[in-house]
PDB file of all heavy atoms in Angstrom:
ATOM      1  N   GLN S   1     110.985  27.289  43.537  1.00 97.00           N
ATOM      2  CA  GLN S   1     111.128  28.598  42.909  1.00 97.00           C
ATOM      3  C   GLN S   1     111.841  28.477  41.569  1.00 97.00           C
ATOM      4  O   GLN S   1     112.886  29.183  41.300  1.00 97.00           O
ATOM      5  CB  GLN S   1     111.858  29.572  43.845  1.00 97.00           C
ATOM      6  CG  GLN S   1     111.007  29.775  45.186  1.00 97.00           C
ATOM      7  CD  GLN S   1     111.599  30.789  46.091  1.00 97.00           C
ATOM      8  OE1 GLN S   1     112.600  31.427  45.813  1.00 97.00           O
ATOM      9  NE2 GLN S   1     110.947  30.986  47.181  1.00 97.00           N
ATOM     10  N   LYS S   2     111.232  27.677  40.679  1.00 98.00           N
ATOM     11  CA  LYS S   2     111.789  27.525  39.343  1.00 98.00           C
ATOM     12  C   LYS S   2     110.936  28.316  38.370  1.00 98.00           C
ATOM     13  O   LYS S   2     111.328  28.355  37.151  1.00 98.00           O
ATOM     14  CB  LYS S   2     111.686  26.053  38.898  1.00 98.00           C
ATOM     15  CG  LYS S   2     112.558  25.126  39.676  1.00 98.00           C
ATOM     16  CD  LYS S   2     112.407  23.681  39.152  1.00 98.00           C
ATOM     17  CE  LYS S   2     113.284  22.688  39.854  1.00 98.00           C
ATOM     18  NZ  LYS S   2     113.180  21.371  39.147  1.00 98.00           N
ATOM     19  N   ILE S   3     109.786  28.874  38.719  1.00 98.00           N
ATOM     20  CA  ILE S   3     108.836  29.455  37.831  1.00 98.00           C
ATOM     21  C   ILE S   3     109.153  30.972  37.774  1.00 98.00           C
ATOM     22  O   ILE S   3     109.166  31.699  38.801  1.00 98.00           O
ATOM     23  CB  ILE S   3     107.390  29.144  38.201  1.00 98.00           C
ATOM     24  CG1 ILE S   3     107.066  27.714  38.075  1.00 98.00           C
ATOM     25  CG2 ILE S   3     106.441  29.982  37.320  1.00 98.00           C
ATOM     26  CD1 ILE S   3     105.684  27.263  38.503  1.00 98.00           C
ATOM     27  N   TYR S   4     109.338  31.526  36.569  1.00 98.00           N
ATOM     28  CA  TYR S   4     109.639  32.938  36.399  1.00 98.00           C
ATOM     29  C   TYR S   4     108.738  33.541  35.224  1.00 98.00           C
ATOM     30  O   TYR S   4     108.285  32.728  34.372  1.00 98.00           O
ATOM     31  CB  TYR S   4     111.060  33.136  35.973  1.00 98.00           C
ATOM     32  CG  TYR S   4     112.066  32.656  37.050  1.00 98.00           C
ATOM     33  CD1 TYR S   4     112.441  31.389  37.058  1.00 98.00           C
ATOM     34  CD2 TYR S   4     112.691  33.621  37.871  1.00 98.00           C
ATOM     35  CE1 TYR S   4     113.446  30.968  37.951  1.00 98.00           C
ATOM     36  CE2 TYR S   4     113.689  33.228  38.760  1.00 98.00           C
ATOM     37  CZ  TYR S   4     113.989  31.940  38.848  1.00 98.00           C
ATOM     38  OH  TYR S   4     114.993  31.465  39.784  1.00 98.00           O
ATOM     39  N   LYS S   5     108.643  34.827  35.169  1.00 98.00           N
ATOM     40  CA  LYS S   5     108.099  35.470  34.035  1.00 98.00           C
ATOM     41  C   LYS S   5     109.357  35.996  33.300  1.00 98.00           C
ATOM     42  O   LYS S   5     110.259  36.557  33.806  1.00 98.00           O
ATOM     43  CB  LYS S   5     107.137  36.623  34.449  1.00 98.00           C
ATOM     44  CG  LYS S   5     106.297  37.127  33.368  1.00 98.00           C
ATOM     45  CD  LYS S   5     105.073  37.887  33.883  1.00 98.00           C
ATOM     46  CE  LYS S   5     105.474  39.099  34.672  1.00 98.00           C
ATOM     47  NZ  LYS S   5     104.282  40.059  34.942  1.00 98.00           N
ATOM     48  N   LEU S   6     109.297  35.898  31.892  1.00 98.00           N
ATOM     49  CA  LEU S   6     110.546  36.105  31.150  1.00 98.00           C
ATOM     50  C   LEU S   6     111.155  37.482  31.377  1.00 98.00           C
ATOM     51  O   LEU S   6     112.355  37.629  31.558  1.00 98.00           O
ATOM     52  CB  LEU S   6     110.192  35.935  29.629  1.00 98.00           C
ATOM     53  CG  LEU S   6     111.350  36.165  28.677  1.00 98.00           C
ATOM     54  CD1 LEU S   6     112.572  35.331  29.053  1.00 98.00           C
ATOM     55  CD2 LEU S   6     110.925  35.823  27.197  1.00 98.00           C
ATOM     56  N   LEU S   7     110.345  38.548  31.440  1.00 98.00           N
ATOM     57  CA  LEU S   7     110.959  39.869  31.592  1.00 98.00           C
ATOM     58  C   LEU S   7     111.451  40.162  32.987  1.00 98.00           C
ATOM     59  O   LEU S   7     112.040  41.127  33.183  1.00 98.00           O
ATOM     60  CB  LEU S   7     109.900  40.826  31.147  1.00 98.00           C
ATOM     61  CG  LEU S   7     109.732  40.984  29.597  1.00 98.00           C
ATOM     62  CD1 LEU S   7     108.674  41.985  29.266  1.00 98.00           C
ATOM     63  CD2 LEU S   7     111.093  41.327  28.907  1.00 98.00           C
ATOM     64  N   GLU S   8     111.161  39.210  33.958  1.00 98.00           N
ATOM     65  CA  GLU S   8     111.825  39.325  35.274  1.00 98.00           C
ATOM     66  C   GLU S   8     113.365  39.411  35.115  1.00 98.00           C
ATOM     67  O   GLU S   8     114.073  40.112  35.808  1.00 98.00           O
ATOM     68  CB  GLU S   8     111.455  38.119  36.165  1.00 98.00           C
ATOM     69  CG  GLU S   8     110.180  38.236  36.804  1.00 98.00           C
ATOM     70  CD  GLU S   8     110.033  37.101  37.795  1.00 98.00           C
ATOM     71  OE1 GLU S   8     110.797  37.100  38.843  1.00 98.00           O
ATOM     72  OE2 GLU S   8     109.165  36.146  37.557  1.00 98.00           O
ATOM     73  N   PHE S   9     113.928  38.623  34.086  1.00 98.00           N
ATOM     74  CA  PHE S   9     115.344  38.638  34.002  1.00 98.00           C
ATOM     75  C   PHE S   9     115.827  39.922  33.472  1.00 98.00           C
ATOM     76  O   PHE S   9     117.111  40.246  33.655  1.00 98.00           O
ATOM     77  CB  PHE S   9     115.754  37.532  33.131  1.00 98.00           C
ATOM     78  CG  PHE S   9     115.328  36.132  33.532  1.00 98.00           C
ATOM     79  CD1 PHE S   9     114.195  35.519  33.093  1.00 98.00           C
ATOM     80  CD2 PHE S   9     116.097  35.464  34.515  1.00 98.00           C
ATOM     81  CE1 PHE S   9     113.875  34.240  33.636  1.00 98.00           C
ATOM     82  CE2 PHE S   9     115.718  34.263  35.013  1.00 98.00           C
ATOM     83  CZ  PHE S   9     114.616  33.681  34.533  1.00 98.00           C
ATOM     84  N   ALA S  10     115.051  40.756  32.945  1.00 98.00           N
ATOM     85  CA  ALA S  10     115.452  42.076  32.459  1.00 98.00           C
ATOM     86  C   ALA S  10     115.077  43.142  33.391  1.00 98.00           C
ATOM     87  O   ALA S  10     115.103  44.408  33.124  1.00 98.00           O
ATOM     88  CB  ALA S  10     114.763  42.326  31.118  1.00 98.00           C
ATOM     89  N   GLY S  11     114.597  42.729  34.657  1.00 98.00           N
ATOM     90  CA  GLY S  11     114.337  43.678  35.699  1.00 98.00           C
ATOM     91  C   GLY S  11     112.998  44.293  35.603  1.00 98.00           C
ATOM     92  O   GLY S  11     112.692  45.396  36.171  1.00 98.00           O
ATOM     93  N   SER S  12     112.072  43.669  34.811  1.00 97.00           N
ATOM     94  CA  SER S  12     110.661  44.182  34.682  1.00 97.00           C
ATOM     95  C   SER S  12     109.648  43.236  35.057  1.00 97.00           C
ATOM     96  O   SER S  12     109.764  42.001  34.901  1.00 97.00           O
ATOM     97  CB  SER S  12     110.493  44.533  33.127  1.00 97.00           C
ATOM     98  OG  SER S  12     109.172  45.028  32.901  1.00 97.00           O
ATOM     99  N   ARG S  13     108.525  43.716  35.544  1.00 96.00           N
ATOM    100  CA  ARG S  13     107.394  42.863  35.998  1.00 96.00           C
ATOM    101  C   ARG S  13     106.312  42.815  34.790  1.00 96.00           C
ATOM    102  O   ARG S  13     105.282  42.293  34.972  1.00 96.00           O
ATOM    103  CB  ARG S  13     106.768  43.385  37.264  1.00 96.00           C
ATOM    104  CG  ARG S  13     107.598  43.069  38.442  1.00 96.00           C
ATOM    105  CD  ARG S  13     107.779  41.663  38.810  1.00 96.00           C
ATOM    106  NE  ARG S  13     106.519  40.964  38.919  1.00 96.00           N
ATOM    107  CZ  ARG S  13     106.378  39.631  38.954  1.00 96.00           C
ATOM    108  NH1 ARG S  13     107.447  38.873  38.839  1.00 96.00           N
ATOM    109  NH2 ARG S  13     105.151  39.103  39.091  1.00 96.00           N
ATOM    110  N   ARG S  14     106.615  43.540  33.736  1.00 97.00           N
ATOM    111  CA  ARG S  14     105.499  43.621  32.727  1.00 97.00           C
ATOM    112  C   ARG S  14     105.328  42.353  31.982  1.00 97.00           C
ATOM    113  O   ARG S  14     106.228  41.547  31.862  1.00 97.00           O
ATOM    114  CB  ARG S  14     105.837  44.782  31.790  1.00 97.00           C
ATOM    115  CG  ARG S  14     106.869  44.605  30.709  1.00 97.00           C
ATOM    116  CD  ARG S  14     107.020  45.813  29.906  1.00 97.00           C
ATOM    117  NE  ARG S  14     107.859  45.544  28.708  1.00 97.00           N
ATOM    118  CZ  ARG S  14     109.175  45.644  28.697  1.00 97.00           C
ATOM    119  NH1 ARG S  14     109.806  45.977  29.828  1.00 97.00           N
ATOM    120  NH2 ARG S  14     109.893  45.471  27.621  1.00 97.00           N
ATOM    121  N   ASP S  15     104.112  42.177  31.509  1.00 98.00           N
ATOM    122  CA  ASP S  15     103.735  40.988  30.682  1.00 98.00           C
ATOM    123  C   ASP S  15     104.294  41.100  29.183  1.00 98.00           C
ATOM    124  O   ASP S  15     104.509  42.233  28.704  1.00 98.00           O
ATOM    125  CB  ASP S  15     102.238  40.807  30.569  1.00 98.00           C
ATOM    126  CG  ASP S  15     101.630  40.442  31.897  1.00 98.00           C
ATOM    127  OD1 ASP S  15     102.400  40.024  32.854  1.00 98.00           O
ATOM    128  OD2 ASP S  15     100.406  40.512  32.066  1.00 98.00           O
ATOM    129  N   ILE S  16     104.465  39.979  28.552  1.00 98.00           N
ATOM    130  CA  ILE S  16     104.650  40.020  27.091  1.00 98.00           C
ATOM    131  C   ILE S  16     103.339  39.779  26.488  1.00 98.00           C
ATOM    132  O   ILE S  16     102.738  38.687  26.691  1.00 98.00           O
ATOM    133  CB  ILE S  16     105.687  38.938  26.680  1.00 98.00           C
ATOM    134  CG1 ILE S  16     107.062  39.313  27.297  1.00 98.00           C
ATOM    135  CG2 ILE S  16     105.811  38.834  25.155  1.00 98.00           C
ATOM    136  CD1 ILE S  16     108.187  38.272  27.015  1.00 98.00           C
ATOM    137  N   ALA S  17     102.942  40.714  25.647  1.00 97.00           N
ATOM    138  CA  ALA S  17     101.519  40.602  25.069  1.00 97.00           C
ATOM    139  C   ALA S  17     101.410  39.446  24.118  1.00 97.00           C
ATOM    140  O   ALA S  17     102.383  39.036  23.427  1.00 97.00           O
ATOM    141  CB  ALA S  17     101.182  41.874  24.320  1.00 97.00           C
ATOM    142  N   ASP S  18     100.264  38.775  24.053  1.00 98.00           N
ATOM    143  CA  ASP S  18      99.951  37.605  23.222  1.00 98.00           C
ATOM    144  C   ASP S  18      99.644  38.175  21.860  1.00 98.00           C
ATOM    145  O   ASP S  18      98.541  38.801  21.630  1.00 98.00           O
ATOM    146  CB  ASP S  18      98.867  36.825  23.743  1.00 98.00           C
ATOM    147  CG  ASP S  18      98.576  35.562  23.082  1.00 98.00           C
ATOM    148  OD1 ASP S  18      99.094  35.342  21.965  1.00 98.00           O
ATOM    149  OD2 ASP S  18      97.869  34.706  23.624  1.00 98.00           O
ATOM    150  N   PRO S  19     100.429  37.922  20.872  1.00 98.00           N
ATOM    151  CA  PRO S  19     100.107  38.472  19.484  1.00 98.00           C
ATOM    152  C   PRO S  19      99.019  37.783  18.774  1.00 98.00           C
ATOM    153  O   PRO S  19      98.496  38.293  17.763  1.00 98.00           O
ATOM    154  CB  PRO S  19     101.442  38.276  18.816  1.00 98.00           C
ATOM    155  CG  PRO S  19     102.071  37.104  19.409  1.00 98.00           C
ATOM    156  CD  PRO S  19     101.692  37.197  20.893  1.00 98.00           C
ATOM    157  N   TRP S  20      98.506  36.721  19.404  1.00 97.00           N
ATOM    158  CA  TRP S  20      97.314  36.072  18.778  1.00 97.00           C
ATOM    159  C   TRP S  20      96.184  36.954  18.952  1.00 97.00           C
ATOM    160  O   TRP S  20      95.268  37.032  18.141  1.00 97.00           O
ATOM    161  CB  TRP S  20      97.021  34.795  19.574  1.00 97.00           C
ATOM    162  CG  TRP S  20      96.080  33.877  18.874  1.00 97.00           C
ATOM    163  CD1 TRP S  20      96.340  32.834  18.019  1.00 97.00           C
ATOM    164  CD2 TRP S  20      94.610  33.770  19.072  1.00 97.00           C
ATOM    165  NE1 TRP S  20      95.224  32.251  17.634  1.00 97.00           N
ATOM    166  CE2 TRP S  20      94.108  32.848  18.243  1.00 97.00           C
ATOM    167  CE3 TRP S  20      93.707  34.568  19.780  1.00 97.00           C
ATOM    168  CZ2 TRP S  20      92.778  32.498  18.125  1.00 97.00           C
ATOM    169  CZ3 TRP S  20      92.357  34.355  19.760  1.00 97.00           C
ATOM    170  CH2 TRP S  20      91.897  33.324  18.877  1.00 97.00           C
ATOM    171  N   TYR S  21      96.144  37.816  20.015  1.00 96.00           N
ATOM    172  CA  TYR S  21      95.057  38.811  20.274  1.00 96.00           C
ATOM    173  C   TYR S  21      95.496  40.189  19.626  1.00 96.00           C
ATOM    174  O   TYR S  21      94.607  40.877  19.056  1.00 96.00           O
ATOM    175  CB  TYR S  21      94.788  38.933  21.784  1.00 96.00           C
ATOM    176  CG  TYR S  21      94.300  37.734  22.383  1.00 96.00           C
ATOM    177  CD1 TYR S  21      95.117  36.848  23.062  1.00 96.00           C
ATOM    178  CD2 TYR S  21      92.893  37.345  22.219  1.00 96.00           C
ATOM    179  CE1 TYR S  21      94.562  35.756  23.701  1.00 96.00           C
ATOM    180  CE2 TYR S  21      92.496  36.160  22.800  1.00 96.00           C
ATOM    181  CZ  TYR S  21      93.319  35.369  23.528  1.00 96.00           C
ATOM    182  OH  TYR S  21      92.761  34.200  24.116  1.00 96.00           O
ATOM    183  N   THR S  22      96.762  40.649  19.829  1.00 97.00           N
ATOM    184  CA  THR S  22      97.073  41.929  19.429  1.00 97.00           C
ATOM    185  C   THR S  22      97.442  41.978  17.914  1.00 97.00           C
ATOM    186  O   THR S  22      97.340  43.081  17.317  1.00 97.00           O
ATOM    187  CB  THR S  22      98.353  42.371  20.189  1.00 97.00           C
ATOM    188  OG1 THR S  22      99.486  41.641  19.866  1.00 97.00           O
ATOM    189  CG2 THR S  22      98.144  42.289  21.720  1.00 97.00           C
ATOM    190  N   GLY S  23      97.868  40.932  17.383  1.00 97.00           N
ATOM    191  CA  GLY S  23      98.349  40.880  15.990  1.00 97.00           C
ATOM    192  C   GLY S  23      99.704  41.566  15.782  1.00 97.00           C
ATOM    193  O   GLY S  23     100.195  41.625  14.697  1.00 97.00           O
ATOM    194  N   ASN S  24     100.320  42.006  16.894  1.00 98.00           N
ATOM    195  CA  ASN S  24     101.580  42.699  16.757  1.00 98.00           C
ATOM    196  C   ASN S  24     102.711  41.831  17.130  1.00 98.00           C
ATOM    197  O   ASN S  24     103.169  41.801  18.262  1.00 98.00           O
ATOM    198  CB  ASN S  24     101.579  43.995  17.696  1.00 98.00           C
ATOM    199  CG  ASN S  24     102.673  44.957  17.249  1.00 98.00           C
ATOM    200  OD1 ASN S  24     103.806  44.531  16.690  1.00 98.00           O
ATOM    201  ND2 ASN S  24     102.519  46.212  17.485  1.00 98.00           N
ATOM    202  N   PHE S  25     103.242  41.030  16.154  1.00 98.00           N
ATOM    203  CA  PHE S  25     104.381  40.169  16.478  1.00 98.00           C
ATOM    204  C   PHE S  25     105.689  40.860  16.646  1.00 98.00           C
ATOM    205  O   PHE S  25     106.633  40.356  17.265  1.00 98.00           O
ATOM    206  CB  PHE S  25     104.452  39.146  15.333  1.00 98.00           C
ATOM    207  CG  PHE S  25     103.328  38.043  15.422  1.00 98.00           C
ATOM    208  CD1 PHE S  25     102.120  38.300  14.885  1.00 98.00           C
ATOM    209  CD2 PHE S  25     103.640  36.850  16.116  1.00 98.00           C
ATOM    210  CE1 PHE S  25     101.079  37.401  14.985  1.00 98.00           C
ATOM    211  CE2 PHE S  25     102.645  35.903  16.227  1.00 98.00           C
ATOM    212  CZ  PHE S  25     101.302  36.128  15.608  1.00 98.00           C
ATOM    213  N   ASP S  26     105.791  42.117  16.108  1.00 98.00           N
ATOM    214  CA  ASP S  26     107.030  42.890  16.238  1.00 98.00           C
ATOM    215  C   ASP S  26     107.245  43.234  17.661  1.00 98.00           C
ATOM    216  O   ASP S  26     108.406  43.099  18.150  1.00 98.00           O
ATOM    217  CB  ASP S  26     106.920  44.130  15.405  1.00 98.00           C
ATOM    218  CG  ASP S  26     106.847  43.851  13.855  1.00 98.00           C
ATOM    219  OD1 ASP S  26     107.321  42.736  13.491  1.00 98.00           O
ATOM    220  OD2 ASP S  26     106.391  44.729  13.109  1.00 98.00           O
ATOM    221  N   VAL S  27     106.215  43.699  18.357  1.00 98.00           N
ATOM    222  CA  VAL S  27     106.302  44.108  19.803  1.00 98.00           C
ATOM    223  C   VAL S  27     106.685  42.893  20.625  1.00 98.00           C
ATOM    224  O   VAL S  27     107.569  42.937  21.457  1.00 98.00           O
ATOM    225  CB  VAL S  27     105.103  44.838  20.250  1.00 98.00           C
ATOM    226  CG1 VAL S  27     105.199  45.029  21.787  1.00 98.00           C
ATOM    227  CG2 VAL S  27     104.931  46.161  19.665  1.00 98.00           C
ATOM    228  N   THR S  28     105.969  41.832  20.355  1.00 98.00           N
ATOM    229  CA  THR S  28     106.216  40.582  21.155  1.00 98.00           C
ATOM    230  C   THR S  28     107.622  40.111  20.867  1.00 98.00           C
ATOM    231  O   THR S  28     108.277  39.734  21.854  1.00 98.00           O
ATOM    232  CB  THR S  28     105.221  39.474  20.706  1.00 98.00           C
ATOM    233  OG1 THR S  28     103.855  39.910  21.120  1.00 98.00           O
ATOM    234  CG2 THR S  28     105.547  38.140  21.351  1.00 98.00           C
ATOM    235  N   TYR S  29     108.062  40.142  19.637  1.00 98.00           N
ATOM    236  CA  TYR S  29     109.490  39.768  19.391  1.00 98.00           C
ATOM    237  C   TYR S  29     110.494  40.604  20.129  1.00 98.00           C
ATOM    238  O   TYR S  29     111.504  40.034  20.701  1.00 98.00           O
ATOM    239  CB  TYR S  29     109.749  39.858  17.881  1.00 98.00           C
ATOM    240  CG  TYR S  29     111.194  39.591  17.463  1.00 98.00           C
ATOM    241  CD1 TYR S  29     111.684  38.294  17.393  1.00 98.00           C
ATOM    242  CD2 TYR S  29     112.062  40.637  17.215  1.00 98.00           C
ATOM    243  CE1 TYR S  29     112.999  37.975  17.032  1.00 98.00           C
ATOM    244  CE2 TYR S  29     113.387  40.409  16.864  1.00 98.00           C
ATOM    245  CZ  TYR S  29     113.789  39.087  16.714  1.00 98.00           C
ATOM    246  OH  TYR S  29     115.133  38.885  16.414  1.00 98.00           O
ATOM    247  N   ALA S  30     110.330  41.894  20.164  1.00 98.00           N
ATOM    248  CA  ALA S  30     111.180  42.812  20.849  1.00 98.00           C
ATOM    249  C   ALA S  30     111.292  42.450  22.302  1.00 98.00           C
ATOM    250  O   ALA S  30     112.316  42.395  22.922  1.00 98.00           O
ATOM    251  CB  ALA S  30     110.760  44.260  20.632  1.00 98.00           C
ATOM    252  N   ASP S  31     110.129  42.199  22.934  1.00 98.00           N
ATOM    253  CA  ASP S  31     110.123  41.858  24.337  1.00 98.00           C
ATOM    254  C   ASP S  31     110.815  40.456  24.592  1.00 98.00           C
ATOM    255  O   ASP S  31     111.532  40.310  25.537  1.00 98.00           O
ATOM    256  CB  ASP S  31     108.672  41.773  24.910  1.00 98.00           C
ATOM    257  CG  ASP S  31     108.078  43.144  25.072  1.00 98.00           C
ATOM    258  OD1 ASP S  31     108.772  44.131  25.127  1.00 98.00           O
ATOM    259  OD2 ASP S  31     106.809  43.265  25.152  1.00 98.00           O
ATOM    260  N   ILE S  32     110.631  39.543  23.710  1.00 98.00           N
ATOM    261  CA  ILE S  32     111.204  38.238  23.879  1.00 98.00           C
ATOM    262  C   ILE S  32     112.748  38.359  23.768  1.00 98.00           C
ATOM    263  O   ILE S  32     113.509  37.646  24.550  1.00 98.00           O
ATOM    264  CB  ILE S  32     110.642  37.201  22.935  1.00 98.00           C
ATOM    265  CG1 ILE S  32     109.243  36.800  23.427  1.00 98.00           C
ATOM    266  CG2 ILE S  32     111.513  35.960  22.755  1.00 98.00           C
ATOM    267  CD1 ILE S  32     108.374  35.934  22.497  1.00 98.00           C
ATOM    268  N   ILE S  33     113.222  39.127  22.748  1.00 98.00           N
ATOM    269  CA  ILE S  33     114.620  39.374  22.583  1.00 98.00           C
ATOM    270  C   ILE S  33     115.211  39.989  23.941  1.00 98.00           C
ATOM    271  O   ILE S  33     116.258  39.534  24.429  1.00 98.00           O
ATOM    272  CB  ILE S  33     114.880  40.300  21.453  1.00 98.00           C
ATOM    273  CG1 ILE S  33     114.729  39.583  20.084  1.00 98.00           C
ATOM    274  CG2 ILE S  33     116.335  40.855  21.495  1.00 98.00           C
ATOM    275  CD1 ILE S  33     115.744  38.537  19.796  1.00 98.00           C
ATOM    276  N   GLU S  34     114.460  40.986  24.404  1.00 98.00           N
ATOM    277  CA  GLU S  34     114.947  41.611  25.671  1.00 98.00           C
ATOM    278  C   GLU S  34     115.100  40.644  26.819  1.00 98.00           C
ATOM    279  O   GLU S  34     116.054  40.568  27.567  1.00 98.00           O
ATOM    280  CB  GLU S  34     114.039  42.725  26.055  1.00 98.00           C
ATOM    281  CG  GLU S  34     114.446  43.436  27.355  1.00 98.00           C
ATOM    282  CD  GLU S  34     113.445  44.573  27.763  1.00 98.00           C
ATOM    283  OE1 GLU S  34     112.461  44.832  26.961  1.00 98.00           O
ATOM    284  OE2 GLU S  34     113.601  45.113  28.891  1.00 98.00           O
ATOM    285  N   GLY S  35     114.046  39.817  26.934  1.00 98.00           N
ATOM    286  CA  GLY S  35     114.040  38.767  28.000  1.00 98.00           C
ATOM    287  C   GLY S  35     115.050  37.697  27.923  1.00 98.00           C
ATOM    288  O   GLY S  35     115.733  37.371  28.819  1.00 98.00           O
ATOM    289  N   CYS S  36     115.274  37.238  26.625  1.00 98.00           N
ATOM    290  CA  CYS S  36     116.181  36.157  26.381  1.00 98.00           C
ATOM    291  C   CYS S  36     117.595  36.555  26.547  1.00 98.00           C
ATOM    292  O   CYS S  36     118.465  35.897  27.067  1.00 98.00           O
ATOM    293  CB  CYS S  36     115.887  35.557  25.047  1.00 98.00           C
ATOM    294  SG  CYS S  36     114.451  34.471  24.973  1.00 98.00           S
ATOM    295  N   GLU S  37     117.918  37.790  26.027  1.00 98.00           N
ATOM    296  CA  GLU S  37     119.249  38.343  26.201  1.00 98.00           C
ATOM    297  C   GLU S  37     119.647  38.531  27.741  1.00 98.00           C
ATOM    298  O   GLU S  37     120.705  38.168  28.157  1.00 98.00           O
ATOM    299  CB  GLU S  37     119.327  39.635  25.603  1.00 98.00           C
ATOM    300  CG  GLU S  37     119.401  39.571  23.937  1.00 98.00           C
ATOM    301  CD  GLU S  37     119.523  40.969  23.344  1.00 98.00           C
ATOM    302  OE1 GLU S  37     119.204  41.940  23.969  1.00 98.00           O
ATOM    303  OE2 GLU S  37     119.879  40.953  22.131  1.00 98.00           O
ATOM    304  N   ALA S  38     118.725  39.010  28.502  1.00 98.00           N
ATOM    305  CA  ALA S  38     118.962  39.088  29.919  1.00 98.00           C
ATOM    306  C   ALA S  38     119.096  37.785  30.644  1.00 98.00           C
ATOM    307  O   ALA S  38     119.920  37.628  31.517  1.00 98.00           O
ATOM    308  CB  ALA S  38     117.826  39.925  30.540  1.00 98.00           C
ATOM    309  N   LEU S  39     118.212  36.837  30.246  1.00 98.00           N
ATOM    310  CA  LEU S  39     118.332  35.505  30.809  1.00 98.00           C
ATOM    311  C   LEU S  39     119.658  34.838  30.483  1.00 98.00           C
ATOM    312  O   LEU S  39     120.387  34.380  31.435  1.00 98.00           O
ATOM    313  CB  LEU S  39     117.165  34.668  30.263  1.00 98.00           C
ATOM    314  CG  LEU S  39     117.286  33.096  30.496  1.00 98.00           C
ATOM    315  CD1 LEU S  39     117.286  32.824  32.022  1.00 98.00           C
ATOM    316  CD2 LEU S  39     116.201  32.378  29.744  1.00 98.00           C
ATOM    317  N   LEU S  40     120.121  34.967  29.272  1.00 97.00           N
ATOM    318  CA  LEU S  40     121.372  34.324  28.852  1.00 97.00           C
ATOM    319  C   LEU S  40     122.510  35.088  29.501  1.00 97.00           C
ATOM    320  O   LEU S  40     123.493  34.426  29.952  1.00 97.00           O
ATOM    321  CB  LEU S  40     121.553  34.353  27.377  1.00 97.00           C
ATOM    322  CG  LEU S  40     122.563  33.462  26.763  1.00 97.00           C
ATOM    323  CD1 LEU S  40     122.334  32.015  27.171  1.00 97.00           C
ATOM    324  CD2 LEU S  40     122.637  33.612  25.228  1.00 97.00           C
ATOM    325  N   GLU S  41     122.474  36.363  29.765  1.00 96.00           N
ATOM    326  CA  GLU S  41     123.493  37.036  30.421  1.00 96.00           C
ATOM    327  C   GLU S  41     123.646  36.577  31.822  1.00 96.00           C
ATOM    328  O   GLU S  41     124.800  36.494  32.341  1.00 96.00           O
ATOM    329  CB  GLU S  41     123.205  38.628  30.360  1.00 96.00           C
ATOM    330  CG  GLU S  41     124.309  39.450  31.064  1.00 96.00           C
ATOM    331  CD  GLU S  41     123.963  40.927  31.076  1.00 96.00           C
ATOM    332  OE1 GLU S  41     122.998  41.252  30.370  1.00 96.00           O
ATOM    333  OE2 GLU S  41     124.631  41.648  31.658  1.00 96.00           O
TER     334      GLU S  41
END
């Protein structure tokens, strides 16, 4: 049980969208910040 989805650490089951398809790197960045901050905490 080492495999996680990043936003699990922030209490969410939602996916982080792939900006290669969406073109929206701002939204992806915000989600990654949320997940990484929660992980580090």
Side-chain angles (χ1 to χ4, degrees):
Q1 297 184 2
K2 296 181 176 184
I3 295 177
Y4 298 84
K5 195 161 63 169
L6 181 54
L7 286 176
E8 280 188 67
F9 297 100
S12 173
R13 291 293 305 168
R14 76 181 189 275
D15 292 344
I16 295 178
D18 189 345
W20 195 91
Y21 295 102
T22 67
N24 195 332
F25 286 83
D26 294 339
V27 169
T28 295
Y29 173 80
D31 284 344
I32 286 174
I33 287 289
E34 179 182 354
C36 286
E37 285 179 341
L39 169 61
L40 195 54
E41 181 180 349

